[in-house]
Amino acid sequence: MRDDRQRIDKWLWHARLVRTRSAAAALAASGHVRLNGARIAAPAKPVKRGDVVTIALDARVRVLKVTGFAPRRGAAEAGRALYEDLAPADPAGPEEPGAPAGAREPGRGRPTKQDRRAIARFTRGHDC
């Protein structure tokens, strides 16, 4: 095994972002994972230290920078040591547990055309 790279499905599992390795492979194969901005279609795609992984998971988008690899899956603290979270901190704090996913602030209304195009670019992988 090379120490400078690892399969994306194995890395997602070791970083404890998904429960099982087969779930990590399915997530990567479904197109919900991007590596350095490019959508990946194969769970065998290698990641290197310094790569940026974007994951659409549980109605959230996580942007993570790969900082290391693990030879085996360990504790949660060891999993969090494998990446650096690049998402900006939410000034309002974490979402309330009872709030529905994707809830908007009162008075914000519908997404703007710019918002809808950004959503379409992310979900479809092309410009509208």
Side-chain angles (χ1 to χ4, degrees), residues 110-119 121:
R110 294 178 52 194
T112 64
K113 188 172 188 176
Q114 183 179 7
D115 292 340
R116 290 193 305 272
R117 285 185 175 172
I119 292 167
R121 273 194 304 274

Side-chain angles (χ1 to χ4, degrees), residues 32-81:
H32 293 293
V33 179
R34 290 177 182 246
L35 184 61
N36 296 324
R39 187 179 300 230
I40 63 167
K45 183 78 174 170
V47 293
K48 302 180 302 267
R49 199 175 312 267
D51 282 348
V52 176
V53 178
T54 306
I55 307 163
L57 186 64
D58 297 330
R60 283 183 40 194
V61 176
R62 299 196 61 188
V63 182
L64 310 169
K65 182 177 179 182
V66 178
T67 59
F69 304 105
R72 64 185 197 92
R73 191 172 194 221
E77 295 82 25
R80 282 191 293 271

